[in-house]
Amino acid sequence: MTVLPIYNILVLPNTDVYLRTDIFEDAVGHVPQKGESVVLVVLRKDVPAQSVTENSFYPIGVTGFVSEVHAEGWLAVRTADRLNIDKAIVSPNGHVEIITSVREDSDTLSSHEDAQKTAGVKSALLDFSKGTQWEPVSRAWVSQFSTLNSIASACSMWMDASNEERYAILAEDSAQKRAEMLEKLLYETLEIGKLSQEGSSARQEDYQRMVRESAIRKQMEYLQKELDEMHPESVSDIRRLELKIRESGMNETARQEADKLLNRLKQEGTNGSETGMLYNYLDFLTSLSWKKEAAQEIDLNEAERILEEDHFGLTKVKNRIIQQIAVMNLKKEQSGSILLFIGAPGTGKTSIGQSIARALKRKYVRVSLGGVRDEADIRGHRRTYIGAMPGRIMDAIQKSGVSNPVMVLDEVDKLSSSYNGDPASALLEVLDPEQNSTFTDHYMNVPYDLSDVFFICTANTADTIPEPLLNRMEVIQFQGYTPIEKEQIAVRHLLPKAMEAVGITKKQLRVSKNAIRLIISDYTREGGVRGLKKRMDSLCRTAAVSIARGNIETISVTPKNLREYLDMHPMRHRLVKENVSPGIVTGLAWTAGGGEILYIETLLSKGSGQVLITGQLGDVMKESARLAISLVKHHFPEKSSLFSENDLHIHVPDGATPKDGPSAGITLTTAIASLITSSPVDPQIAMTGEISLRGDVLAIGGLPEKLMAAQRAGVKRVLIPAENKDDLQDVPNETRESLEIIPVMNLLEVLSMCGILGVERASDRVEHTDTWKEQKL
Ligand code: ADP
């Protein structure tokens, strides 16, 4: 007799129990023989045959014999009675022997009851398979069962019952109860089956619908594409927009907004009141680049070469840009600190932005902010306005066609606020790295990522830029060019470009060095090279006419014939005055155009102590004048009656240029001192410096520009505040060398440098004046 331990199989008396052949072989160690007597015992746990012990079995089993062995790998055991396992012995080789006794049922199940229950379950089984493709098969299968036990045994493998639950049925002594348990288990199994069938068929339906839908869509798209290709002229605008929205790669919010407006456009049709607005909006949104470009590694040497190629000089600026590129390379970022280029017009601020774009291999866009007063200019108008438009920033992004252009924001110092909001604060949002990744233009109404844009701002002065905006940026000064630098720029860049623009070759036009120098000195008056560029352009245009007429083959421009080619008068240069008279002093001013020299003229006339100030002076300069008068009265007490007996007139010529700022302090004081002491100051001494009431000379701004202006005007000596000594390193060598620069700390030093102090003694006065005259010669 073979003892066959089994696990999780429903074992019942008087029926067929189906098993896999390999389970049989594993458990008993031999191939099943038809007719072989077996006792089926139930394992408490699923343990391998080798680990079975005496306690591994439940105490009730079933006797039977192998009734069928099939080549497909399964066998049937025809069971008979239930057994009590009185004792089990497991030998070391795993062989199990048992001593058993028959276990009687406590009651019987009548064949009638059994037949009734069986019929119920059979019909439930048939219902279950109704309408499915396996209905005929299951009919045949179900018909072979004649007892509840046989159905339960056959369905064992699908039953959702644990090993304990299955054993509990076998262990039940009441045959009637056993039948009820089986019935319940079978119905439960069927219910679960139904649910999962419903679930799976519902899921299947969903899936099928999805597959079908996508197949239909694909087919439609394909057919539409074919049609579009056949008739490109009739591809509808809506369809075009639809395709563009799909392909644009826009973010989720933008996509939702675009889909919403597209639906509205579809409903509006071609003649709706909103059609134009909707169309323009979608067209704008889809023409933006929504792709994030990967950060590129920039070859620093190559970038340096490009910057060098496009611009002469500007070494400091170029170095700073290379530093920025290096940092961007290391951090694998597309933008770094926001650069603010400050300098006079024509110093190359905008055009170097273009070179930076070229060096970075990125697109370049320029946004001019001059005169922008309305916040909507930056951030766009809301769509509800008629004629609403995107702001200049998004407009530029669209023009660039990429999401990471180099964007030059020109003239940020010319922004002004109005009742329509403050454009500077809108710009702040654009430039703030914390906020600009979700910049929302009012017109677009969806966020756009500006964090990869390389922003460069330009301005003539930092004075009018709001502080919060200025804080966001890193200032780089463009000092303006010296005459020698200008000459180089003209020869290397401006002239060749101008010639190329009008189509004349090197052979056809020669411009002598002296002619270029003359253009710089007599035909331009600027810190940058914009005027110089214009002169080069007009020179080439005039030359082009002569060449085109065929009159001349080669034109040679020299100082002699220069005026003819430029067709303009030389500029009246503000050069230092020749005549020397008391009360006039040369000052230096910073202007948006670079630097300029100015004269402060003073005059006493019979009167009653009034002070008259003319020449477009700002409030600060008027205050400086009052300060100057007090200081002079203090230092020359013996002359103070002059102020009460006369009227003092202070004038700064060139009324067209508004002047303000405290840096004329020492000039004003010196002029008044010179006037009342009747001691002329050499006009070739220029000065700049703020003054305090104690007579200390305080630091000023724009020193390099002022010194270059002094050089241009032919000044020999310049008095500067000692506090500004460090700024001298920003002044070109050429300028420094051509001037005698004297740092001063207080008014007394200034006055003695100018020969005013000690002039009470007539001999002193003569001596001083003579010295200066000699120097001038
Ligand atoms: P800004 O923006 O400072 O007003 P731009 O960049 O418009 O000045 O420059 C004006 C012109 O002068 C441009 O044509 C530019 O190419 C030229 N330019 C300025 N600086 C240089 C330079 N260092 N080398 C060559 N060309 C220059």
Side-chain angles (χ1 to χ4, degrees):
M1 191 182 60
T2 307
V3 178
L4 175 61
I6 53 170
Y7 182 81
N8 214 14
I9 291 171
L10 184 61
V11 183
L12 295 168
N14 306 314
T15 187
D16 286 320
V17 173
Y18 302 93
L19 301 167
R20 282 199 346 245
T21 315
D22 56 342
I23 291 181
F24 183 100
E25 287 174 5
D26 280 352
V28 300
H30 67 257
V31 181
Q33 299 295 319
K34 200 170 172 185
E36 184 179 345
S37 299
V38 290
V39 175
L40 298 175
V41 293
V42 183
L43 287 169
R44 290 173 196 272
K45 273 192 187 141
D46 190 13
V47 287
Q50 307 78 28
S51 319
V52 167
T53 66
E54 287 82 356
N55 298 322
S56 298
F57 318 108
Y58 281 116
I60 299 167
V62 155
T63 167
F65 67 93
V66 177
S67 57
E68 295 169 60
V69 179
H70 288 269
E72 289 85 24
W74 60 274
L75 59 101
V77 175
R78 168 68 47 84
T79 58
D81 297 324
R82 297 189 304 143
L83 296 172
N84 282 321
I85 300 161
D86 298 326
K87 197 170 181 191
I89 304 144
V90 180
S91 61
N93 62 6
H95 183 72
V96 184
E97 281 192 12
I98 46 173
I99 299 168
T100 60
S101 57
V102 173
R103 186 173 179 106
E104 300 285 351
D105 288 350
S106 61
D107 58 12
T108 49
L109 180 74
S110 72
S111 53
H112 173 68
E113 271 176 311
D114 191 15
Q116 232 179 4
K117 286 189 192 305
T118 310
V121 174
K122 277 169 85 171
S123 99
L125 272 172
L126 288 173
D127 272 356
F128 181 66
S129 61
K130 213 175 208 160
T132 65
Q133 71 265 37
W134 34 274
E135 189 184 346
V137 186
S138 66
R139 255 177 207 293
W141 181 69
V142 170
S143 68
Q144 65 179 323
F145 303 122
S146 52
T147 62
L148 203 55
N149 277 4
S150 61
I151 301 178
S153 195
C155 294
S156 168
M157 70 178 79
W158 297 295
M159 282 177 179
D160 191 24
S162 65
N163 188 49
E164 290 75 36
E165 284 169 325
R166 288 167 197 258
Y167 173 73
I169 298 174
L170 175 65
E172 179 55 57
D173 289 337
S174 157
Q176 287 186 11
K177 269 201 184 153
R178 240 186 357 251
E180 278 165 22
M181 286 163 92
L182 281 177
E183 207 179 13
K184 186 167 163 264
L185 190 60
L186 280 165
Y187 282 124
E188 267 176 15
T189 307
L190 273 174
E191 276 312 305
I192 292 170
K194 260 194 225 162
L195 281 179
S196 69
Q197 195 181 38
E198 274 167 21
S200 78
S201 64
R203 244 177 292 139
Q204 209 164 357
E205 258 174 45
D206 273 354
Y207 181 70
Q208 276 175 353
R209 214 188 49 232
M210 234 165 58
V211 171
R212 216 171 126 70
E213 198 178 311
S214 106
I216 293 173
R217 266 185 204 289
K218 274 199 186 129
Q219 212 162 1
M220 268 169 57
E221 247 169 56
Y222 176 74
L223 293 174
Q224 185 69 53
K225 212 169 137 195
E226 293 259 294
L227 267 177
D228 292 350
E229 274 169 15
M230 275 186 226
H231 304 284
E233 69 291 347
S234 64
V235 177
S236 79
D237 287 340
I238 290 190
R239 165 126 191 92
R240 210 173 277 150
L241 285 173
E242 212 164 31
L243 286 176
K244 274 165 90 179
I245 293 174
R246 193 162 332 140
E247 284 157 12
S248 64
M250 54 179 79
N251 60 42
E252 199 42 43
T253 335
R255 170 114 198 203
Q256 278 172 8
E257 182 82 358
D259 283 344
K260 196 171 89 187
L261 268 78
L262 186 71
N263 282 337
R264 252 166 74 188
L265 184 62
K266 283 179 188 166
Q267 284 159 14
E268 284 275 317
T270 43
N271 296 321
S273 59
E274 284 198 308
T275 307
M277 183 279 282
L278 293 168
Y279 180 81
N280 287 345
Y281 175 77
L282 290 169
D283 190 44
F284 180 78
L285 213 61
T286 50
S287 59
L288 290 172
S289 163
W290 293 88
K291 268 191 246 91
K292 210 149 167 67
E293 313 280 337
Q296 272 191 35
E297 173 95 17
I298 305 295
D299 180 350
L300 289 185
N301 294 335
E302 174 69 4
E304 211 164 1
R305 191 191 60 75
I306 292 173
L307 292 178
E308 213 52 58
E309 188 176 278
D310 292 349
H311 286 82
F312 174 82
L314 299 175
T315 321
K316 255 182 152 179
V317 178
K318 289 175 188 164
N319 285 346
R320 178 62 192 85
I321 292 162
I322 292 295
Q323 282 171 8
Q324 175 114 334
I325 299 178
V327 172
M328 277 159 56
N329 268 354
L330 288 179
K331 291 176 82 179
K332 306 227 170 337
E333 279 177 357
Q334 308 222 26
S335 59
S337 23
I338 294 149
L339 306 178
L340 170 61
F341 295 164
I342 296 187
T347 42
K349 300 181 297 295
T350 316
S351 53
I352 206 155
Q354 218 161 351
S355 305
I356 293 174
R358 204 156 78 83
L360 292 173
K361 301 190 176 61
R362 307 245 291 258
K363 286 269 163 51
Y364 165 85
V365 268
R366 177 173 165 268
V367 178
S368 176
L369 297 177
V372 164
R373 305 174 63 215
D374 199 337
E375 192 186 334
D377 274 327
I378 306 286
R379 218 201 288 263
H381 297 271
R382 293 194 190 281
R383 277 203 309 271
T384 40
Y385 285 89
I386 294 175
M389 281 188 308
R392 296 191 188 196
I393 305 291
M394 286 317 301
D395 193 47
I397 292 280
Q398 187 225 14
K399 284 205 183 92
S400 77
V402 289
S403 59
N404 67 344
V406 171
M407 188 181 288
V408 172
L409 301 172
D410 236 348
E411 307 191 310
V412 279
D413 53 338
K414 309 264 181 347
L415 283 176
S416 53
S417 60
S418 68
Y419 61 93
N420 272 337
D422 181 8
S425 64
L427 198 59
L428 235 142
E429 204 184 309
V430 171
L431 299 178
D432 188 348
E434 302 280 317
Q435 298 182 52
N436 69 7
S437 59
T438 54
F439 174 71
T440 306
D441 182 282
H442 286 329
Y443 176 78
M444 281 171 65
N445 203 24
V446 290
Y448 188 87
D449 186 356
L450 290 178
S451 60
D452 284 347
V453 178
F454 189 115
F455 287 108
I456 296 170
C457 300
T458 80
N460 292 142
T461 165
D463 297 349
T464 51
I465 302 176
E467 197 63 28
L469 199 56
L470 200 58
N471 286 343
R472 293 273 185 296
M473 306 189 269
E474 193 181 327
V475 174
I476 298 180
Q477 293 282 353
F478 280 57
Q479 243 97 45
Y481 302 110
T482 62
I484 293 179
E485 283 173 330
K486 284 182 184 174
E487 187 185 326
Q488 290 298 325
I489 294 173
V491 173
R492 294 179 194 208
H493 297 276
L494 304 179
L495 187 58
K497 269 191 216 154
M499 283 165 64
E500 198 187 322
V502 295
I504 46 184
T505 60
K506 269 188 187 169
K507 269 193 199 148
Q508 291 169 315
L509 177 69
R510 294 222 176 95
V511 185
S512 77
K513 272 202 173 144
N514 284 337
I516 289 179
R517 281 179 198 153
L518 197 64
I519 296 177
I520 293 165
S521 64
D522 285 12
Y523 291 84
T524 62
R525 200 171 102 185
E526 57 179 357
V529 290
R530 202 166 275 177
L532 185 58
K533 180 174 181 299
K534 281 190 198 145
R535 301 298 99 78
M536 291 295 165
D537 290 345
S538 74
L539 189 149
C540 288
R541 276 197 305 272
T542 320
V545 174
S546 308
I547 292 166
R549 282 213 174 106
N551 300 349
I552 321 170
E553 267 191 15
T554 306
I555 293 174
S556 229
V557 180
T558 59
K560 267 193 197 147
N561 61 5
L562 181 64
R563 192 158 164 183
E564 202 181 300
Y565 282 98
L566 290 180
D567 197 22
M568 70 181 279
H569 294 292
M571 287 192 169
R572 267 192 307 111
H573 235 301
R574 202 180 294 165
L575 294 173
V576 283
K577 290 189 186 226
E578 292 289 316
N579 55 332
V580 181
S581 56
I584 302 180
V585 176
T586 314
L588 294 172
W590 182 92
T591 66
E596 212 29 287
I597 61 162
L598 54 80
Y599 293 105
I600 296 196
E601 299 175 344
T602 53
L603 189 73
L604 279 176
S605 50
K606 264 274 162 270
S608 55
Q610 283 191 32
V611 179
L612 235 106
I613 300 169
T614 53
Q616 285 273 335
L617 305 193
D619 287 341
V620 181
M621 215 148 156
K622 281 182 189 158
E623 275 181 13
S624 302
R626 301 205 169 277
L627 190 70
I629 295 169
S630 301
L631 275 166
V632 174
K633 277 184 186 167
H634 173 75
H635 283 285
F636 301 94
E638 71 284 4
K639 305 271 182 190
S640 62
S641 59
L642 280 175
F643 290 102
S644 52
E645 291 157 10
N646 296 290
D647 287 346
L648 172 66
H649 191 161
I650 302 171
H651 179 66
V652 185
D654 195 3
T657 338
K659 310 159 199 80
D660 203 11
S663 68
I666 59 168
T667 328
L668 276 161
T669 318
T670 313
I672 298 168
S674 148
L675 180 70
I676 59 151
T677 56
S678 308
S679 45
V681 176
D682 187 328
Q684 294 208 7
I685 305 180
M687 59 188 78
T688 177
E690 188 179 343
I691 199 150
S692 76
L693 198 53
R694 296 170 56 92
D696 294 330
V697 178
L698 310 175
I700 46 92
L703 187 72
E705 286 88 350
K706 286 178 178 172
L707 292 183
M708 278 194 244
Q711 180 197 11
R712 268 203 304 276
V715 167
K716 294 276 182 302
R717 263 189 181 193
V718 185
L719 309 186
I720 64 161
E723 286 180 7
N724 278 104
K725 250 181 7 197
D726 284 348
D727 295 349
L728 284 174
Q729 64 194 23
D730 293 335
V731 178
N733 281 342
E734 183 198 332
T735 307
R736 262 187 301 185
E737 279 160 16
S738 72
L739 295 168
E740 187 186 349
I741 300 166
I742 304 169
V744 287
M745 287 172 70
N746 57 47
L747 181 64
L748 296 182
E749 271 181 72
V750 177
L751 295 181
S752 65
M753 288 284 170
C754 297
I756 296 173
L757 265 192
V759 285
E760 301 90 314
R761 287 175 288 132
S763 56
D764 273 355
R765 194 187 320 167
V766 171
E767 192 185 289
H768 274 276
T769 322
D770 282 348
T771 319
W772 290 122
K773 272 186 185 152
E774 267 167 31
Q775 277 200 358
K776 216 174 83 189
L777 291 170

